[in-house]
Amino acid sequence: MNIVIKNEGEFSNIIIYLYKENKKKTKIKVGTISQKELDIDINIYRYISFKSNKNKSPKIYLNEYCSCFVLKNIRDNLINVYIENNKIEKTGKVLKMNMKDIKNLSYRPGTTKRIFTFVPSSYDPNKKYALLVAFDGQNLFSQENTNKYTVKNDCFGSWQLDVSLSLICQDTIVVSIDNADKWRDFELLMNDDFGEHEEKIYKEFEKDTVPHIGRLDEIGRFIMTNVLPYCMKNYSIDENRIGIMGSSSGGIASFYLGMEYSNIFTHIFSFSPAINLFKKEAYSKYFASKHFSLNKRPLLYLYYGGKRQFLEKDLLPSYYFINDILHFYSYPNDLIINSYNKEGRHNEMFWRYECLNALKYFK
């Protein structure tokens, strides 16, 4: 496969690493270049990464869709890489709207939530499209132009979700909720009656947020009574492919709401979820009482980063205990996809790359 590397960040002494499944790597020195083409056998190599002097990028999944890697800038000693496909001229449109909600969001002073909807450029109302409900819509795509990516909302840039979908799942519409205000962690955590908090983690988590009692059930009702009906009315949606996705607080929200509304959601994509804000006994109690409608269980894609950053390190224990609980309560093994990156950090850069692997399962 022919790929292109573009050096837009004026990097010097560039080295490319190609990784096999068995973790053995091949080193290619390319020096200081503006652009370089390589022919890579993606049946042999699974990942690619880049190094320039003391800075390096995370590993990025290689697949037949990613034909161009753009080295942009440096964030926390990491080379920030965007993924492109030279064959795709336009990915689609991102539509912004304020969705009114009078009944459910009782904790907010206003009655609206900002919603971003991504519609692929190939949209045909005569065809059925998968629907992905996502949190943190404010940094999933660029707000100005879906072919340019903003660093305004986060220093690591956007998820590039429209590009990932255009590469892997061209038949997917995304409806995403803006969670960029002070209510984010308030509204994306389960209500307190879910169970007892893990106090050490909870107190650390709460330092930079307003004191709160979780109101995730209200966001769940908002999605069910406002967001999904809007999508069903305005787009041609395949009801057998409706997913929910989020990271951190959005990751725990996706996990819980995907299970709670398992009669609706067929896929859960949960990245670095803050699951251990609640004690594992709370999840045991929940799954002991959970009766899946008509034996419907969503496919769960669960991703965690490694031990080299404090936040991912704090969350990592829940990666193991939630798997133990799911297995104990006979959640089917073939519906659990675990992904772990020991180099992973808690930011959009890593979640952007993880999407390239996760979305392969949204079929």
Side-chain angles (χ1 to χ4, degrees):
M1 175 181 171
N2 184 262
I3 68 167
V4 176
I5 292 96
K6 295 181 180 179
N7 180 12
E8 293 188 1
E10 299 183 354
F11 293 99
S12 61
N13 303 317
I14 297 172
I15 300 173
I16 300 170
Y17 293 97
L18 300 172
Y19 301 83
K20 297 180 180 180
E21 186 71 43
N22 62 8
K23 300 183 180 180
K24 289 186 178 181
K25 62 185 178 182
T26 298
K27 179 179 179 180
I28 305 172
K29 294 183 178 181
V30 297
T32 303
I33 47 98
S34 59
Q35 185 167 308
K36 176 75 173 179
E37 292 190 21
L38 291 175
D39 189 42
I40 296 176
D41 188 341
I42 60 173
N43 293 314
I44 296 177
Y45 296 104
R46 187 178 180 191
Y47 303 95
I48 188 171
S49 71
F50 304 90
K51 185 177 180 181
S52 171
N53 300 316
K54 294 182 179 181
N55 303 301
K56 62 180 181 179
S57 78
K59 292 180 184 178
I60 305 170
Y61 289 99
L62 279 170
N63 58 46
E64 64 269 31
Y65 310 106
C66 302
S67 63
C68 183
F69 298 90
V70 184
L71 281 58
K72 283 282 189 181
N73 48 37
I74 295 174
R75 294 287 183 265
D76 288 354
N77 296 320
L78 291 172
I79 299 176
N80 202 4
V81 181
Y82 286 123
I83 298 121
E84 294 182 357
N85 187 317
N86 295 331
K87 297 179 182 178
I88 297 175
E89 295 182 0
K90 190 175 182 181
T91 59
K93 295 181 178 179
V94 176
L95 310 174
K96 290 184 288 185
M97 64 176 292
N98 288 320
M99 188 171 286
K100 292 184 178 180
D101 181 80
I102 299 173
K103 299 179 181 178
N104 297 331
L105 303 180
S106 60
Y107 56 90
R108 298 179 68 88
T111 59
T112 63
K113 285 286 287 179
R114 188 164 62 156
I115 303 296
F116 299 87
T117 304
F118 168 74
V119 183
S121 57
S122 59
Y123 179 73
D124 179 350
N126 296 312
K127 296 180 180 179
K128 291 289 186 181
Y129 286 76
L131 177 66
L132 184 61
V133 177
F135 296 104
D136 290 310
Q138 72 280 355
N139 60 12
L140 295 183
F141 341 90
S142 168
Q143 296 181 26
E144 292 76 29
N145 181 317
T146 58
N147 291 321
K148 296 178 181 177
Y149 298 95
T150 181
V151 295
K152 182 177 180 181
N153 293 307
D154 188 278
C155 64
F156 294 97
S158 80
W159 283 53
Q160 261 197 309
L161 184 57
D162 54 323
V163 168
S164 296
L165 289 169
S166 298
L167 296 176
I168 300 170
C169 298
Q170 295 91 344
D171 62 341
T172 300
I173 291 169
V174 181
V175 58
S176 55
I177 301 168
D178 185 347
N179 302 109
D181 58 24
K182 69 177 183 179
W183 303 103
R184 181 178 187 275
D185 295 321
F186 190 103
E187 64 191 12
L188 294 182
L189 292 182
M190 285 87 85
N191 293 40
D192 272 15
D193 59 7
F194 179 79
E196 190 176 352
H197 296 134
E198 190 64 66
E199 289 301 328
K200 180 181 177 181
I201 302 295
Y202 193 79
K203 286 179 180 178
E204 183 69 26
F205 181 81
E206 201 178 34
K207 280 182 180 178
D208 299 322
T209 64
V210 294
H212 57 272
I213 300 173
R215 295 296 180 93
L216 182 55
D217 284 345
E218 294 193 22
I219 286 293
R221 290 192 295 269
F222 173 70
I223 292 171
M224 292 299 122
T225 60
N226 292 70
V227 177
L228 289 183
Y230 168 83
C231 294
M232 297 301 181
K233 180 180 178 181
N234 290 279
Y235 302 106
S236 179
I237 301 299
D238 180 358
E239 295 185 10
N240 294 313
R241 287 179 64 206
I242 300 179
I244 187 167
M245 183 180 78
S247 62
S248 195
S249 296
I252 192 174
S254 300
F255 176 82
Y256 174 75
L257 292 179
M259 294 296 178
E260 189 69 4
Y261 296 99
S262 58
N263 59 320
I264 300 295
F265 293 111
T266 59
H267 295 72
I268 300 169
F269 300 101
S270 183
F271 298 88
S272 306
I275 281 176
N276 59 348
L277 289 175
F278 291 88
K279 291 187 175 181
K280 60 183 179 181
E281 289 80 8
Y283 296 95
S284 293
K285 180 181 176 182
Y286 176 74
F287 281 102
S289 63
K290 179 68 181 169
H291 300 287
F292 289 94
S293 176
L294 299 176
N295 293 319
K296 286 188 175 182
R297 290 175 172 84
L299 181 141
L300 171 63
Y301 187 96
L302 190 62
Y303 163 78
Y304 277 93
K307 299 180 179 180
R308 301 195 177 186
Q309 186 204 33
F310 73 93
L311 189 49
E312 288 291 312
K313 182 180 178 180
D314 286 344
L315 298 178
L316 189 57
S318 60
Y319 176 79
Y320 301 104
F321 82 61
I322 201 64
N323 269 278
D324 290 342
I325 290 170
L326 289 168
H327 291 141
F328 183 83
Y329 289 103
S330 302
Y331 206 91
N333 287 332
D334 60 347
L335 292 180
I336 304 173
I337 310 297
N338 285 302
S339 179
Y340 169 66
N341 178 1
K342 69 178 182 179
E343 304 289 335
R345 301 187 194 178
H346 202 81
N347 63 50
E348 282 73 11
M349 188 189 300
F350 284 87
W351 300 326
R352 180 195 314 153
Y353 304 145
E354 191 63 30
C355 265
L356 293 172
N357 190 55
L359 290 173
K360 295 188 300 184
Y361 296 94
F362 197 28
K363 302 294 185 183

